[in-house]
């Protein structure tokens, strides 16, 4: 198969990361979780914000690299520290939309993400991949699911990670994040004109994965 890039976009907990990992594995491609990159900067911001006057200053002190572990998958290395295991903490989740909406943060990461995809063979998921990061991706998918479905998925994921969560609160948080992400000024969450929309509500991981593979 000719080397291609696949862009997967969609709102929080639509199943992007899970599906992107499986698509990449089945097609022998590299998976890039851009959400984890934004979470890494959010983690750093929360730990160090008192030291910096603005996001431009903060970003100038950040270096992000991705490492791929055969057993653990993508690992995010922030200033030479593997921070992957901290990125799903509630505090990071609550603040990531705000940090990701900052122009300096987006410019920094979009440039890095574009560089990662230059050689092709990338499955990249996020919120602005098909519209901003990889507008020329050969395959674009926009994944959606009901708020109820996404909240249940997030609850299950949090329970597996040992993170205390409440289903009704998760529904409220996801709805608020949708509103914020879709209405931010810089790279808002939206479906690319040439993206294929897949509603994952009620579908299995394998069913969604196969639908995307059929597009390649």
């Amino acid at each position: 198969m000719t080397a291609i890039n696949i862009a997967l976009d969609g709102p929080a907990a639509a199943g992007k990361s899970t599906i992107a990992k499986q698509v990449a594995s089945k097609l022998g491609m590299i998976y890039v979780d851009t959400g984890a990159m934004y979470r890494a900067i959010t983690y750093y911001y929360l730990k160090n914000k008192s030291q910096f006057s603005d996001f431009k200053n903060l970003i100038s002190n950040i270096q992000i690299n991705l490492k791929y572990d055969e057993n653990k998958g993508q690992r995010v290395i922030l200033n030479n520290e593997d921070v992957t295991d901290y990125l799903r903490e509630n505090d990071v989740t609550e603040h990531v939309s705000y940090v990701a909406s900052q122009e300096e943060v987006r410019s920094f990461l979009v440039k890095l993400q574009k560089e990662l995809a230059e050689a092709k063979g990338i499955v990249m998921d996020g919120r602005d991949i098909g519209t901003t990061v990889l507008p020329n991706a050969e395959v674009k998918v926009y994944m959606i699911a009901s708020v109820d479905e996404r909240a249940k998925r997030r609850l299950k994921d949090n329970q597996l990670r040992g993170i205390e969560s409440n289903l009704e609160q998760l529904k409220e948080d996801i709805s608020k994040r949708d509103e914020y992400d879709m209405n931010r000024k810089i790279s808002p969450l939206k479906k690319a004109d040439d993206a294929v929309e897949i509603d994952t509500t009620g579908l299995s991981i394998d069913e969604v994965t196969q639908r995307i593979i059929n597009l390649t």
Side-chain angles (χ1 to χ4, degrees), residues 196-215:
V196 175
E197 183 172 295
I198 298 178
D199 187 342
T200 67
T201 304
L203 295 180
S204 70
I205 293 172
D206 288 341
E207 286 173 328
V208 179
T209 298
Q210 192 57 52
R211 288 193 184 189
I212 295 173
I213 290 175
N214 290 344
L215 297 173

Side-chain angles (χ1 to χ4, degrees), residues 6-10 16 130 139-143 191 194-198 208 211-212 215:
I6 299 176
L8 270 65
D9 290 302
K16 301 184 300 295
V139 175
K140 297 181 187 179
V141 175
Y142 189 78
M143 294 172 54
K191 176 187 171 185
D194 53 347
V196 175
E197 183 172 295
I198 298 178
V208 179
R211 288 193 184 189
I212 295 173
L215 297 173

Side-chain angles (χ1 to χ4, degrees), residues 43 76-84 86:
Y43 173 79
V76 182
I77 311 302
L78 173 69
N79 295 344
N80 297 316
E81 177 189 0
D82 187 338
V83 298
T84 312
Y86 306 110

Side-chain angles (χ1 to χ4, degrees), residues 8-12 38 97 100-103 106 110 126-133 142 177-193:
L8 270 65
D9 290 302
Y38 284 103
S97 283
S101 70
Q102 304 303 310
E103 183 175 1
R106 297 208 77 83
V110 167
R127 284 168 175 72
D128 63 345
I129 309 306
T131 55
T132 302
V133 182
Y142 189 78
R177 186 165 183 190
D178 287 351
E179 178 75 14
Y180 191 95
D181 289 346
M182 291 176 179
N183 292 287
R184 68 188 180 207
K185 293 182 180 180
I186 303 171
S187 295
L189 168 65
K190 64 178 182 179
K191 176 187 171 185
D193 292 339

Side-chain angles (χ1 to χ4, degrees), residues 3-202:
I4 63 171
N5 286 329
I6 299 176
L8 270 65
D9 290 302
K16 301 184 300 295
S17 296
T18 301
I19 299 301
K21 288 176 189 175
Q22 186 148 314
V23 170
S25 176
K26 287 185 175 294
L27 294 178
M29 300 172 72
I30 295 173
Y31 165 58
V32 176
D33 178 0
T34 65
M37 299 166 80
Y38 284 103
R39 284 175 176 270
I41 293 182
T42 303
Y43 173 79
Y44 185 82
Y45 165 75
L46 292 172
K47 295 291 184 183
N48 302 280
K49 60 182 177 181
S50 62
Q51 301 178 33
F52 302 105
S53 57
D54 54 34
F55 275 94
K56 182 178 181 180
N57 189 228
L58 182 141
I59 288 297
S60 68
N61 287 271
I62 286 178
Q63 182 179 27
I64 290 181
N65 293 293
L66 301 182
K67 182 175 72 174
Y68 296 92
D69 184 284
E70 187 173 336
N71 298 314
K72 296 182 178 180
Q74 176 185 286
R75 309 296 293 177
V76 182
I77 311 302
L78 173 69
N79 295 344
N80 297 316
E81 177 189 0
D82 187 338
V83 298
T84 312
D85 293 337
Y86 306 110
L87 302 185
R88 297 292 168 177
E89 293 179 348
N90 285 333
D91 202 26
V92 173
T93 297
E94 290 171 5
H95 290 86
V96 66
S97 283
Y98 167 70
V99 173
S101 70
Q102 304 303 310
E103 183 175 1
E104 295 86 355
V105 175
R106 297 208 77 83
S107 295
F108 173 73
L109 286 183
V110 167
K111 180 176 183 294
L112 177 56
Q113 291 155 10
K114 285 179 177 289
E115 290 172 354
L116 290 170
E118 282 180 355
K120 301 282 189 178
I122 294 292
V123 180
M124 188 177 288
D125 76 311
R127 284 168 175 72
D128 63 345
I129 309 306
T131 55
T132 302
V133 182
L134 302 178
N136 296 317
E138 287 78 4
V139 175
K140 297 181 187 179
V141 175
Y142 189 78
M143 294 172 54
I144 63 171
S146 68
V147 171
D148 283 353
E149 178 95 353
R150 288 186 281 143
K152 289 174 183 176
R153 291 174 183 171
R154 180 58 55 82
L155 179 64
K156 182 178 180 180
D157 187 50
N158 285 352
Q159 289 173 335
L160 290 173
R161 296 172 186 273
I163 299 173
E164 186 174 343
S165 301
N166 173 274
L167 182 60
E168 292 307 314
Q169 184 62 52
L170 286 173
K171 289 180 184 178
E172 182 178 342
D173 292 345
I174 286 172
S175 294
K176 287 181 178 178
R177 186 165 183 190
D178 287 351
E179 178 75 14
Y180 191 95
D181 289 346
M182 291 176 179
N183 292 287
R184 68 188 180 207
K185 293 182 180 180
I186 303 171
S187 295
L189 168 65
K190 64 178 182 179
K191 176 187 171 185
D193 292 339
D194 53 347
V196 175
E197 183 172 295
I198 298 178
D199 187 342
T200 67
T201 304

